[in-house]
Amino acid sequence: MDELACRAGVSVRTVRFYRERGLLAPPRRQGRIAWYGDHHLARLRTISALLERGHTLNGIADLAKAFESGRDVGEVLGLGEPSEETPVRLTPEELADYFEGEVTPENLASALDLGYLATDGDEIVHISRRLLDVSASLVREGVPLAAVLAAGRRVRTHADALAELFVEVLRTHVPEGDAERLRPLAKSVVEAELSMALDRRLREG
């Protein structure tokens, strides 16, 4: 514990306090020796970074519980399945920097539930670089993250319906195995229709 506290730049009393609050996992015990590992050090540094950004210990504890109850990266990403999206690995403090002041336990729980975020050990994985960048841009423009996530949930419903429609059409009318090759055509139709729909709504005022 002394070595862990020294490397993390905190006091032994602080380490004990974090353990008592459930912010730090118990060490691995071997006889009378307690072994702390890199994940304990990473957690201490994350706590310090989040405290510097204005988060409270209660808030950090809630965030930690949300992460630990979230789905792991394999379940969310469906490893081995086809995807055009690029996952992004983040530390909790990097995620806080993307959405400064907006990474609340409620928003985090919503993102985990949507499958935007997953956990992989001490790391967070966002399923899509594009979605991460767009979400962060909207928040910087003044749209609350909660509203972005709520909109994402509605978009997901419509996107699933569109995907089902196109897959059914392609599997019915093109040779087996060509549906994946023709997916760019389906995306182009959706992009064009969305563009025209935005034109209509913006003209309406």
Side-chain angles (χ1 to χ4, degrees):
M1 186 181 290
D2 289 343
E3 183 180 351
L4 175 68
C6 181
R7 291 181 63 184
V10 299
S11 67
V12 172
R13 178 178 295 180
T14 297
V15 175
R16 288 199 180 99
F17 177 71
Y18 289 165
R19 277 191 53 194
E20 291 169 359
R21 292 289 299 272
L23 290 167
L24 197 65
R28 177 176 62 85
R29 293 199 171 273
Q30 187 175 7
R32 300 178 65 179
I33 302 174
W35 294 98
Y36 291 90
D38 289 340
H39 63 285
H40 292 99
L41 181 59
R43 174 60 66 89
L44 286 175
R45 288 174 173 167
T46 295
I47 293 171
S48 296
L50 292 175
L51 286 172
E52 288 176 4
R53 287 165 171 78
H55 290 264
T56 65
L57 281 177
N58 284 338
I60 294 170
D62 288 340
L63 292 175
K65 288 177 184 176
F67 276 127
E68 288 162 3
S69 64
R71 291 177 292 175
D72 66 33
V73 64
E75 180 185 354
V76 172
L77 295 181
L79 297 179
E81 298 177 6
S83 176
E84 295 180 345
E85 298 306 310
T86 303
V88 183
R89 290 182 175 272
L90 302 161
T91 63
E93 53 264 39
E94 287 171 340
L95 183 66
D97 284 340
Y98 262 95
F99 304 102
E100 189 167 353
E102 294 278 329
V103 183
T104 63
E106 293 78 16
N107 286 339
L108 186 58
S110 293
L112 286 165
D113 183 56
L114 273 167
Y116 286 170
L117 296 180
T119 55
D120 188 12
D122 290 319
E123 287 188 306
I124 306 159
V125 180
H126 195 290
I127 62 167
S128 168
R129 164 65 69 183
R130 291 192 291 180
L131 283 176
L132 175 63
D133 290 344
V134 169
S135 299
S137 295
L138 287 170
V139 170
R140 285 194 295 271
E141 292 293 334
V143 182
L145 182 55
V148 173
L149 293 169
R153 189 177 296 278
R154 293 177 64 187
V155 169
R156 172 76 56 80
T157 300
H158 295 296
D160 281 342
L162 287 168
E164 183 178 359
L165 184 157
F166 278 108
V167 168
E168 181 181 350
V169 168
L170 293 175
R171 286 179 174 170
T172 301
H173 299 286
V174 303
E176 186 175 353
D178 279 358
E180 176 65 26
R181 179 175 60 83
L182 296 176
R183 66 187 287 172
L185 301 180
K187 289 168 56 181
S188 294
V189 172
V190 173
E191 289 173 3
E193 286 289 355
L194 177 59
S195 179
M196 291 187 290
L198 286 169
D199 290 342
R200 292 192 296 270
R201 294 296 183 274
L202 293 171
R203 282 197 300 268
E204 292 169 0

